[in-house]
Amino acid sequence: MAGAGTKLRPHTYTQPKALIPLAGRTILSIIVDQLVEAGIREFVFVVGYLGEKIQHYVEQKYPDLTCHFVQQNSREGTGHAILLTREIVENDEILIVLGDTIVECDLLEVLHAPYSMLGLKKVDDPRNFGVAELDENGNITRVVEKPQIPKSNLALVGIYKIKETNLLFECLQTNITNKVKSHDEFQLTDALECMIENGVRFNGFKVNNWFDCGRKDTLLETNAILLKKYKLANNPVLPYENTIIIPPVSIGEGCNIKNSIIGPNVAVGDNTVVNYSIVKDSIIGSFSNLYEVVLKSSLIGSDANIRGLSQSLNIGDNTEIDLG
């Protein structure tokens, strides 16, 4: 998770993409919680831009896990990032998960499989992804990063179980030494192809759901889906004055909401104030203030202040006014 998250700016100028709120949690906590539930207790986090915030968050939220932090100072691709973990990983079996992708699959089945495994899902346009080609037995015969003419519609979704880690690191080192790049970066996909060419067997496993959190529109879609999945709703014990809550919503602690309509598909961070506003299909950060605004399909960061336009009208019969 060392990337700068440029597609989510301006939010990622001050907040790592992995810590952006999502369905009452963060992208990072959703990923880590899934892995912990599957029995994983040791993590290596490859961080870069604003990496100290990620380290502080992990150490505060997951004190019982064994966590290592590796700094990728120059963003040269996923292959370069993985190679930086070599001294920590040594020859241990690993599960690689990209920090902006949430997948739903049978992780226990993947972890106990006798072969290296790559997560796959059919997509309409595979040209923006790593792509896997399979033989008639379901074995992966080739992987290509963002091919212009794909021979398969099976995309690599950002989760990889690697048993032959020594060969993985050798392929990564060889590619970097020989400056083997795809799309101007050292790609993990190219190292996987090197492993296949050296006889490693990779099986594909289909993921049930795949949520890409790298852009605003997909992040809001993921927020709506996960709110429904987690069945989060406003806590009925809390009295929000003159306010209508339309589930599913997630409202953080210490919020002051009144004279408003919230929902559906809204996640509000802690200690946020909302007054005389309508908010739907949106994510609102913590310690923000919204007054007299109508928001839909919006992504609002923390410590933001938004104030709308108040009107005083004296309108007679048979009048049509568009306040636009």
Side-chain angles (χ1 to χ4, degrees), residues 66-84:
T66 301
C67 297
H68 312 269
F69 298 89
V70 176
Q71 184 80 19
Q72 185 187 28
N73 293 317
S74 58
R75 296 189 292 275
E76 299 184 59
T78 53
H80 177 260
I82 299 302
L83 184 60
L84 295 175

Side-chain angles (χ1 to χ4, degrees), residues 223-224 227-236 243-251 261-267 279-281:
N223 183 61
L227 281 171
K228 294 182 179 71
K229 175 180 173 60
Y230 299 151
K231 297 180 180 178
L232 291 169
N234 175 57
N235 186 346
T243 291
I244 297 173
I245 302 294
I246 306 173
V249 301
S250 168
I251 298 177
I261 301 174
I262 307 296
N265 306 321
V266 173
V279 184
K280 68 176 182 178
D281 301 317

Side-chain angles (χ1 to χ4, degrees), residues 287-307:
F287 296 97
S288 291
N289 290 274
L290 278 59
Y291 184 77
E292 289 185 339
V293 294
V294 178
L295 296 179
K296 65 178 180 179
S297 302
S298 298
L299 181 58
I300 308 298
S302 297
D303 298 301
N305 287 277
I306 306 174
R307 189 178 185 93

Side-chain angles (χ1 to χ4, degrees), residues 39-288:
I40 295 176
R41 308 296 298 176
E42 185 171 7
F43 290 76
V44 183
F45 297 93
V46 182
V47 299
Y49 179 69
L50 299 175
E52 67 283 354
K53 288 192 173 185
I54 292 174
Q55 182 168 347
H56 177 75
Y57 177 87
V58 170
E59 289 173 346
Q60 292 293 314
K61 187 171 179 63
Y62 301 102
D64 297 331
L65 298 180
T66 301
C67 297
H68 312 269
F69 298 89
V70 176
Q71 184 80 19
Q72 185 187 28
N73 293 317
S74 58
R75 296 189 292 275
E76 299 184 59
T78 53
H80 177 260
I82 299 302
L83 184 60
L84 295 175
T85 71
R86 188 174 194 169
E87 292 185 4
I88 298 172
V89 172
E90 296 182 335
N91 62 347
D92 287 343
E93 184 176 311
I94 58 174
L95 187 75
I96 301 170
V97 183
L98 301 187
D100 61 355
T101 302
I102 297 170
V103 298
E104 294 179 347
C105 62
D106 189 340
L107 277 176
L108 289 177
E109 181 180 348
V110 173
L111 293 174
H112 292 116
Y115 307 107
S116 291
M117 305 280 282
L118 305 180
L120 305 175
K121 190 169 181 61
K122 290 182 179 180
V123 296
D124 295 331
D125 186 358
R127 290 176 297 177
N128 293 321
F129 306 97
V131 174
E133 300 173 17
L134 277 61
D135 63 17
E136 62 275 6
N137 297 319
N139 297 320
I140 296 174
T141 58
R142 185 169 181 251
V143 290
V144 185
E145 182 67 22
K146 299 178 182 176
Q148 289 300 306
I149 306 176
K151 295 183 179 180
S152 163
N153 64 348
L154 290 173
L156 302 173
V157 299
I159 180 168
Y160 321 78
K161 188 191 85 162
I162 308 295
K163 294 179 71 70
E164 301 83 358
T165 46
N166 281 335
L167 182 56
L168 170 66
F169 289 127
E170 288 175 13
C171 286
L172 287 169
Q173 186 63 66
T174 298
N175 287 350
I176 290 176
T177 301
N178 296 327
K179 300 190 184 308
V180 177
K181 292 185 176 183
S182 295
H183 306 280
D184 296 322
E185 291 187 334
F186 297 111
Q187 302 287 353
L188 174 59
T189 306
D190 292 332
L192 299 177
E193 175 61 19
C194 169
M195 295 176 70
I196 293 172
E197 292 172 354
N198 280 276
V200 173
R201 174 176 174 177
F202 281 96
N203 281 16
F205 65 94
K206 303 290 180 65
V207 300
N208 301 322
N209 290 298
W210 174 27
F211 306 112
D212 182 1
C213 302
R215 302 188 312 275
K216 174 195 168 188
D217 54 347
T218 56
L219 184 67
L220 292 176
E221 289 173 10
T222 299
N223 183 61
I225 293 169
L226 294 183
L227 281 171
K228 294 182 179 71
K229 175 180 173 60
Y230 299 151
K231 297 180 180 178
L232 291 169
N234 175 57
N235 186 346
V237 175
L238 296 178
Y240 293 117
E241 179 184 340
N242 196 30
T243 291
I244 297 173
I245 302 294
I246 306 173
V249 301
S250 168
I251 298 177
E253 297 179 359
C255 290
N256 183 355
I257 300 175
K258 57 186 177 181
N259 308 311
S260 298
I261 301 174
I262 307 296
N265 306 321
V266 173
V268 181
D270 296 337
N271 302 297
T272 284
V273 177
V274 183
N275 195 5
Y276 291 108
S277 297
I278 300 173
V279 184
K280 68 176 182 178
D281 301 317
S282 298
I283 298 174
I284 312 297
S286 300
F287 296 97
S288 291

